Amino acid sequence: MYEKMCQIDESAPTDEEHKLKGVTKPRYMAWRETISSTATLGFRIEGIRNSDGTSSKDFKTTKSKEQIMAAFQSFTEGFPHVVPKYIQRLKAIKATLGQSTFFETHEVIGSSLLFVHDRYNANVWLIDFAKTIHLPADVTISHNSKWKVGNHEDGYLIGINNLIKIFMAVLENQPICVSPPLNLEEPPIAPTPKEKLENTRHSYPPCAHLL
């Protein structure tokens, strides 16, 4: 973890950490959040794969709202119908979480949102719940406050709310005005097995992985 920290910013470790050539995991995790959008927006981009098969995980220092918005604009470029669908889905997720007993009684740590779209559809899935833990019986949290030592808050709703706001801004800046629900053309007739195999070799559905 010390090496990872130095690769991004050699001045980040303290003199003592440089001397020991090591940092603790909590120290590294806290530092990593300060250089990404996690501390300011409640989420960060983990990786993006585009429709041409190219991908990137170079988002460790993507921190500002403007940088995130630019990444989302690039991710959805050429697919104007997907932005309102993502907004609808995020709002539905927020509403569902507000009624969820599981969400109410758990600290959601390290969970992710997976965004996937194609020419016709777009969706968002909640994934990665391995580190989610049940709250102590005497603890209640809002999911809408920043984490501090001992408060069990995960800031989950901070991230959801900021995602909705940023995608709304992306929608407002689209050159073509689209508003959900959209009337899209029907998907084409299902291809033959041979055509399906050939399409699979050259088709990569765009996806984004957010933490």
Side-chain angles (χ1 to χ4, degrees):
M1 287 179 285
Y2 169 79
E3 289 78 10
K4 290 181 179 179
M5 184 182 286
C6 288
Q7 286 175 1
I8 297 172
D9 184 359
E10 290 188 358
S11 66
T14 63
D15 292 340
E16 183 66 18
E17 288 167 342
H18 275 305
K19 182 179 179 180
L20 297 173
K21 294 189 180 299
V23 297
T24 64
K25 185 174 181 179
R27 156 80 168 122
Y28 174 78
M29 297 296 288
W31 168 80
R32 190 176 68 172
E33 289 195 354
T34 66
I35 65 169
S36 72
S37 57
T38 300
T40 55
L41 299 174
F43 71 91
R44 70 176 184 272
I45 300 175
E46 184 71 8
I48 290 179
R49 186 176 73 177
N50 299 305
S51 58
D52 61 2
T54 60
S55 61
S56 175
K57 291 187 175 182
D58 188 23
F59 297 100
K60 291 183 176 64
T61 57
T62 300
K63 187 174 183 178
S64 70
K65 177 182 176 181
E66 291 73 24
Q67 289 174 311
I68 295 290
M69 185 172 170
F72 287 169
Q73 287 173 324
S74 176
F75 173 58
T76 58
E77 185 177 5
F79 302 86
H81 63 284
V82 308
V83 177
K85 286 181 175 289
Y86 281 147
I87 294 170
Q88 286 181 319
R89 178 61 173 156
L90 287 167
K91 288 183 176 179
I93 289 173
K94 179 182 177 181
T96 300
L97 292 177
Q99 302 297 319
S100 170
T101 302
F102 179 89
F103 189 62
E104 181 182 7
T105 57
H106 285 76
E107 181 180 353
V108 185
I109 304 170
S111 178
S112 306
L113 294 176
L114 180 65
F115 292 70
V116 182
H117 63 259
D118 59 18
R119 290 175 55 201
Y120 305 99
N121 297 298
N123 214 331
V124 185
W125 287 272
L126 287 74
I127 62 174
D128 300 336
F129 289 92
K131 296 180 181 178
T132 295
I133 60 174
H134 200 287
L135 290 167
D138 59 341
V139 174
T140 59
I141 61 175
S142 68
H143 298 283
N144 207 22
S145 298
K146 291 184 178 182
W147 175 84
K148 294 180 181 179
V149 177
N151 72 352
H152 292 280
E153 288 286 357
D154 52 31
Y156 201 94
L157 293 178
I158 296 176
I160 294 289
N161 287 330
N162 279 318
L163 278 168
I164 293 172
K165 291 177 183 177
I166 293 174
F167 271 109
M168 288 292 292
V170 171
L171 182 62
E172 292 171 1
N173 282 273
Q174 281 187 336
I176 301 175
C177 183
V178 289
S179 299
L182 300 172
N183 294 319
L184 300 175
E185 60 181 291
E186 290 296 322
I189 298 174
T192 65
K194 181 178 180 181
E195 291 172 331
K196 188 173 182 181
L197 176 61
E198 185 64 25
N199 290 338
T200 302
R201 290 171 179 167
H202 302 287
S203 177
Y204 301 87
C207 63
H209 185 195
L210 277 62
L211 290 175

